[in-house]
Amino acid sequence: MDAAPPNPGLVFEMLQAHQRTAALKAAIDLDVFRAVGEGPGDVTSIARHCAASERGIRILCDFLTINGLLVKSAGRYRLSPTAALFLDPRSPASLASVAQFLANPAMQEPYEHLAEIVRNGRTVLPGDGSVEPENPIWVQFAQTMAPMMAPVAGPLAAIVLEGRTTPMRVLDIAAGHGLFGIEIAKQNPQARVTGLDWAPVLRVALDNASRAGVDARYDMLPGSAFEVDFGGPYDAVLLTNFLHHFDRTTCVGLLKKVHAAVRPVGAPPRSSSCPTKIVSRRLCPRLSPWSCWRPPRRAMPIR
Amino acid sequence: MDAAPPNPGLVFEMLQAHQRTAALKAAIDLDVFRAVGEGPGDVTSIARHCAASERGIRILCDFLTINGLLVKSAGRYRLSPTAALFLDPRSPASLASVAQFLANPAMQEPYEHLAEIVRNGRTVLPGDGSVEPENPIWVQFAQTMAPMMAPVAGPLAAIVLEGRTTPMRVLDIAAGHGLFGIEIAKQNPQARVTGLDWAPVLRVALDNASRAGVDARYDMLPGSAFEVDFGGPYDAVLLTNFLHHFDRTTCVGLLKKVHAAVRPVGAPPRSSSCPTKIVSRRLCPRLSPWSCWRPPRRAMPIR
């Protein structure tokens, strides 16, 4: 990898990068993007909508302009295309709720102790931190992060199904909002999905399944992925955004347990090309919502 | 200003930008840049030097590599040119102490309440916040921020002096580390400098003046810029990195007080072109240490 010439700007930018997170979070909390989106975009109107000081709004909006979320001309602000699509609460693609999770104090606070975390090689949070049993942050995750995953849930389901419309059983481990399994149930009316997660999290998934009209084919398996009996056999197991929480030994153990729960190759019913798939985002970087979605050329069967 | 096409990456990048500040701060605290600079750069050696876990060091160093501060090849890390010059404590241009100020909890904590700050248009800190009389953060500022200002102190003094070597008196308001006034005293052996700041801060400036060998011509005027009698008259008044803390009315009042303290035009002694100057970084964007320094074409006299 080539290195750029020395630039102190990089050091200052990183030391102050936390201000950018705070500014976006504050703007979302104050409803700035709705205020600017509705217009007319002068400081006085925005401040009135947000019940905030004009001085504070002016400084915040100037900072958001520098950062590409607003556009300023002749003293008025308007939304940049990014903010109009992803931050105006009136947009169907709004990601504003994601900030409630990614920028919440519980998620940010551990970073104040990062040196200690690196020293010890483990979390400073009580117990096992975010993967402590029944940690309530996963309820908030399920409630807020769906807009981030919605754009990839459909394509992921298509990868898993490859057009299959015959009866099948799918296990969705650490289902969270449940969108990935729900999309499979939507695309294959013969699919039955089992969501596995902590019980309060599964209630969020079931709500989403109801809204999608597939709750009659959505079963709940509450508990720890490492402890509950998966049942099965399943035709597909979804293991999304999960393995990165654990060390290699733990992941290998879990993958063996997953493997034992999938229908053996050759056993009916099977699809034409690949009876059993384990799809992980780790294995499919093209599913990253950070890049523009392009249809994958082929699925990635395991075994 | 033109707006880029919609890009959710900008939203996610901003929501997680605080992680970049935390990573750089942790790396400085753990002495990672010295460890990598001394080599050989494998995870085991770095972890041993930093008394940290190999797992934590590997993850942190990979993150620093993505951010352009380290370069990784064949499993070994080395410093990028930016880190070698500005973050290795062995470099004379090291900016590592700056992180102690910019990324310290007292400076970062208010950002957790940014929505409230914007709502009220003022600090959430007790009293007047950072400009509360005798706030001890300015001692830390004076102790740690000198490396950031050192590269511009010499050029700024040259702007003020324009080659003048005759006797003169200079007032340095909110002197902090004192570097700007000290550079004037270094470049003009007939200049006498008065530093104005809180008393504990001036002790840091006087230490720096001693190290520069100009303490015999460095006077201390402890107190508030808004309350103490400036004395004078002065041939030049430095008002650096100060006005941005205050509102317009306060700034106008202070500038009138400054104006009254400078030697009237025409009164002896005078230099050939401009007897009195007030130099502020706000007036001289070319002094920003964020951009490469180029010698200014002309000074900016006031009046």
Side-chain angles (χ1 to χ4, degrees), chain A residues 13-14 20-21 53 118-119, chain B residues 13-14 20-21 53 118:
Chain A
E13 193 275 322
M14 282 184 74
R20 304 176 67 227
T21 303
S53 70
V118 172
R119 223 171 255 130
Chain B
E13 193 276 320
M14 281 184 74
R20 304 175 65 229
T21 303
S53 70
V118 171

Side-chain angles (χ1 to χ4, degrees), chain A residues 9-279:
Chain A
L10 176 59
V11 177
F12 294 116
E13 193 275 322
M14 282 184 74
L15 285 176
Q16 312 217 42
H18 70 97
Q19 298 177 355
R20 304 176 67 227
T21 303
L24 177 50
K25 180 74 166 15
I28 292 169
D29 288 351
L30 290 163
D31 209 26
V32 165
F33 296 107
R34 188 197 308 267
V36 175
E38 288 180 349
D42 60 294
V43 167
T44 305
S45 313
I46 302 167
R48 193 181 309 121
H49 176 107
C50 300
S53 70
E54 293 193 11
R55 169 177 152 77
I57 287 293
R58 176 178 50 79
I59 296 171
L60 179 62
C61 286
D62 283 349
F63 187 84
L64 296 172
T65 301
I66 292 166
N67 280 276
L69 295 180
L70 301 183
V71 179
K72 185 180 189 178
S73 73
R76 288 178 190 257
Y77 302 93
R78 61 178 200 275
L79 299 178
S80 73
T82 291
L85 190 56
F86 297 117
L87 292 170
D88 188 332
R90 302 171 308 163
S91 164
S94 171
L95 294 166
S97 73
V98 168
Q100 304 303 323
F101 184 74
L102 291 182
N104 79 19
M107 290 293 286
Q108 281 199 28
E109 200 270 344
Y111 286 92
E112 294 170 25
H113 311 284
L114 191 55
E116 185 182 344
I117 292 168
V118 172
R119 223 171 255 130
N120 302 326
R122 56 164 284 120
T123 183
V124 288
L125 295 173
D128 285 327
S130 60
V131 293
E132 181 74 7
E134 304 288 349
N135 188 321
I137 66 162
W138 298 114
V139 177
Q140 190 188 26
F141 176 93
Q143 287 166 336
T144 60
M145 294 292 278
M148 178 167 150
M149 291 307 173
V152 296
L156 186 141
I159 290 174
V160 174
L161 289 170
E162 286 187 313
R164 175 171 173 171
T165 53
T166 52
M168 66 186 297
R169 291 191 63 199
V170 176
L171 175 63
D172 187 1
I173 295 178
H177 38 67
L179 292 199
F180 300 125
I182 289 166
E183 269 296 327
I184 289 177
K186 281 165 69 179
Q187 292 181 27
N188 178 0
Q190 303 253 40
R192 181 154 204 102
V193 177
T194 301
L196 187 160
D197 212 316
W198 309 121
V201 179
L202 286 178
R203 284 195 282 274
V204 180
L206 189 62
D207 278 351
N208 288 335
S210 298
R211 263 190 291 276
V214 300
D215 49 314
R217 289 179 286 122
Y218 199 89
D219 303 317
M220 297 195 288
L221 183 56
S224 159
F226 300 101
E227 290 172 14
V228 298
D229 181 354
F230 287 160
Y234 296 96
D235 299 286
V237 177
L238 306 179
L239 190 60
T240 57
N241 304 319
F242 192 65
L243 295 177
H244 63 285
H245 289 287
F246 306 101
D247 63 20
R248 184 183 177 86
T249 308
T250 307
C251 289
V252 169
L254 182 69
L255 287 167
K256 285 183 179 169
K257 182 176 174 185
V258 167
H259 185 256
V262 293
R263 200 180 301 281
V265 176
R270 55 178 295 180
S271 80
S272 57
S273 65
C274 173
T276 301
K277 280 185 284 194
I278 301 170
V279 177

Side-chain angles (χ1 to χ4, degrees), chain A residues 55 58-59, chain B residues 121 128-133 138 173-174 198 224-226 239-255 282:
Chain A
R55 169 177 152 77
R58 176 178 50 79
I59 296 171
Chain B
D128 285 328
S130 60
V131 293
E132 182 73 6
W138 299 114
I173 296 177
W198 309 121
S224 159
F226 301 100
L239 191 59
T240 55
N241 303 321
F242 192 65
L243 295 177
H244 63 283
H245 289 290
F246 306 101
D247 63 21
R248 184 183 176 85
T249 309
T250 307
C251 289
V252 169
L254 183 68
L255 287 167
R282 297 294 286 261

